[in-house]
Amino acid sequence: MGAPLPPPDEARVAFSRLYANDPEQATSYLYDLGLSSGYLKTEDVARTVRWTGASRFGTLECTINLAKPEKDPRAIAAAAAPARADAPTGVRVPQCDLCWENEGFPGTPEHPAKPGLRIAAIELGGERWGLQFSPYAYFVEHCIALSETHRPMRIDAACFERLLDFADAFPHYFIGSNADLPIVGGSILSHDHFQGGRHVFPLMKAPLAREFALGDEPAVRCGIVAWPSSTVRIASSDRRALMRAAVRLLDVWRGFDDEACGIVSATEGVPHNTLNPIVRKVDGVFIMDLVLRNNRTDARHPWGIFHPDEELHHIKKENIGLIEIMGLAILPPRLAAELPAVQRALVDAAHAGGSAHRLEKRLRAEPLTAPHAAWALDVFVRRAPELAAAPPPRETSAPLLHPVLQDEATRIFAAVLEATAVFKPTQAGRDGWDRFVAMLG
């Protein structure tokens, strides 16, 4: 590890003192602690593969994150209420990776220690919450706000209140919440938490495709965002009015059914409808994006009716959580080896003028390329001349991914986001939007 850290209580006192003067100074102090101690995995973050790609929704951001392992959505659901691990007598055991007890925990084989972790104390919704920075650093100053109490994620009026409190307290950061249901939720459903930081995501740049009035809330601007996921944006300088609008929208969506769009709000009392709330404060105006989510499954869609189909799983099969719903793909580390192998096969075949049949045999024979064979063959058939225009990968110091591979992986990510839409870009989807907006009043 790096430099010595102040004890947790001293770090919290220092944070509070700095916050009283300037919130940005306080967050910079906490972030610098993580850097100097080595808690923030700067070396892994530096190795992250990054690119941007065009889509019909605007520029999307893609990363292959080498610091965080890939998780199966079914394993995430099963871990919603994890068992406690054994620990030395008298030591409080963290129930998950977000519990405050991780700070100073000596570790067990089942739950490793997190040396270097420091958590600042903040108040959200009248409760004591913590603020820390994510060691995986998906973006600049990627922070996590976490409840002091280990309790499940829940999207409700109190959640909105806490998000708005955070935006008031730290206007230099955005803040958002993963959904509170399996399949559409994040990787940890068992501990109430938010994610934020200093990043402007593609969703935040997306314009409104359509505006609508929200009944008796003239101070709130409302609209449907031009975005692949079904998203409503509400904005107002009147915090109370915005809060009322958000609660109304959530209440209507929780009970919304639409057979034509495949939306069923609950099955035998088990809810399916929820949302991702994302808040930022710009020049005194609160902006809240509410991404409508539904986690229902059926025999044809065992992974989720509004989850990417299995044909996309070679690139992405994990839950599509808060960060990705905003347009930043967190792709699994296996792709750092698999996609270059696919690239070598494609470029070699393009330079040799090889047949699609011979290429398919090679792709299916190699463990790294076999999961991508059908997709890679389609790319070759459509774009062989572009692939041939580049030097063979073994003879160049070109970036990890050929522009064609970057573009095609971006297309997959756009398709992943479109899969999450509860209102598809079809006439049926547009009619569904009309029915939902009409219910908002």
Side-chain angles (χ1 to χ4, degrees):
M1 298 300 290
L5 279 173
D9 287 344
E10 287 186 17
R12 284 191 265 281
V13 168
F15 179 92
S16 297
R17 184 177 64 251
L18 291 167
Y19 179 85
N21 181 58
D22 182 354
E24 286 194 62
Q25 286 185 8
T27 54
S28 293
Y29 164 76
L30 191 65
Y31 185 73
D32 288 343
L33 285 183
L35 288 176
S36 62
S37 69
Y39 178 70
L40 302 183
K41 303 179 185 300
T42 53
E43 291 185 2
D44 287 341
V45 171
R47 294 188 299 117
T48 295
V49 183
R50 304 176 186 273
W51 72 90
T52 57
S55 79
R56 64 190 181 90
F57 310 104
T59 299
L60 299 178
E61 301 173 7
C62 296
T63 67
I64 299 175
N65 190 288
L66 303 179
K68 188 173 184 181
E70 186 174 19
K71 290 188 176 182
D72 189 300
R74 292 165 294 193
I76 292 171
R84 298 179 71 98
D86 293 332
T89 303
V91 176
R92 295 185 65 188
V93 182
Q95 297 185 64
C96 74
D97 283 340
L98 293 178
C99 286
W100 280 49
E101 287 85 358
N102 284 289
E103 192 181 51
F105 180 63
T108 69
E110 295 80 15
H111 194 101
K114 291 190 174 186
L117 171 64
R118 288 295 178 268
I119 301 173
I122 60 176
E123 184 176 309
L124 300 179
E127 297 180 342
R128 191 171 188 248
W129 276 52
L131 179 67
Q132 67 177 65
F133 286 94
S134 169
Y136 302 123
Y138 294 158
F139 46 86
V140 177
E141 294 183 39
H142 178 186
C143 66
I144 301 172
L146 50 142
S147 170
E148 185 179 31
T149 304
H150 179 82
R151 66 184 184 210
M153 299 281 296
R154 182 168 175 79
I155 304 300
D156 56 13
C159 169
F160 295 153
E161 195 74 52
R162 289 189 285 269
L163 290 169
L164 291 167
D165 278 354
F166 188 98
D168 257 337
F170 304 99
H172 55 295
Y173 285 165
F174 87 91
I175 190 69
S177 177
N178 272 307
D180 53 357
L181 297 177
I183 297 176
V184 296
S187 60
I188 298 178
L189 296 173
S190 60
H191 197 120
D192 202 2
H193 71 285
F194 306 140
Q195 296 185 69
R198 267 188 208 273
H199 193 67
V200 178
F201 287 84
L203 169 60
M204 298 174 182
K205 302 173 188 176
L208 293 180
R210 165 188 168 189
E211 292 196 50
F212 61 87
L214 190 61
D216 55 356
E217 297 294 351
V220 181
R221 182 186 179 192
C222 307
I224 298 168
V225 184
W227 192 245
S229 304
S230 302
T231 306
V232 175
R233 178 171 294 159
I234 56 177
S236 182
S237 57
D238 184 334
R239 174 173 164 164
R240 291 184 179 180
L242 189 83
M243 180 71 181
R244 291 193 299 269
V247 171
R248 181 187 305 180
L249 196 145
L250 174 63
D251 288 345
V252 171
W253 174 242
R254 287 285 195 194
F256 184 79
D257 295 281
D258 196 298
E259 182 179 355
C261 294
I263 300 169
V264 176
S265 63
T267 301
E268 297 180 351
V270 178
H272 297 307
N273 286 356
T274 185
L275 49 76
N276 292 115
I278 303 144
V279 179
R280 53 203 158 106
K281 191 175 183 181
V282 181
D283 297 328
V285 175
F286 292 98
I287 302 171
M288 183 181 289
D289 287 327
L290 300 167
V291 187
L292 309 181
R293 309 297 299 272
N294 177 287
N295 80 338
R296 190 165 68 94
T297 63
D298 61 16
R300 185 181 169 192
H301 305 92
W303 294 82
I305 293 172
F306 302 103
H307 186 79
D309 288 338
E310 289 188 53
E311 65 182 19
L312 304 177
H313 288 189
H314 66 103
I315 296 293
K316 182 70 178 181
K317 74 175 181 180
E318 296 173 293
N319 291 7
I320 310 306
L322 170 69
I323 304 306
E324 292 185 300
I325 216 72
M326 292 190 284
L328 171 58
I330 312 298
L331 303 178
R334 60 181 170 81
L335 295 182
E338 293 175 1
L339 291 186
V342 169
Q343 175 177 299
R344 284 193 295 273
L346 292 179
V347 174
D348 284 349
H351 276 271
S355 69
H357 176 69
R358 189 177 300 117
L359 173 62
E360 183 177 15
K361 287 182 65 176
R362 174 178 172 177
L363 290 167
R364 295 195 183 281
E366 296 184 17
L368 288 176
T369 58
H372 306 279
W375 169 69
L377 192 63
D378 176 67
V379 172
F380 178 77
V381 170
R382 290 186 289 106
R383 307 187 71 169
E386 296 170 78
L387 291 161
R394 297 184 185 88
E395 301 175 8
T396 180
S397 58
L400 173 67
L401 290 185
H402 187 290
V404 167
L405 267 292
Q406 291 185 357
D407 181 53
E408 293 292 337
T410 302
R411 290 188 187 192
I412 292 286
F413 179 48
V416 163
L417 292 179
E418 287 185 271
T420 70
V422 294
F423 299 117
K424 304 299 185 190
T426 62
Q427 188 57 53
R430 289 187 286 273
D431 291 344
W433 267 124
D434 289 343
R435 290 187 286 271
F436 179 66
V437 169
M439 289 187 67
L440 293 173

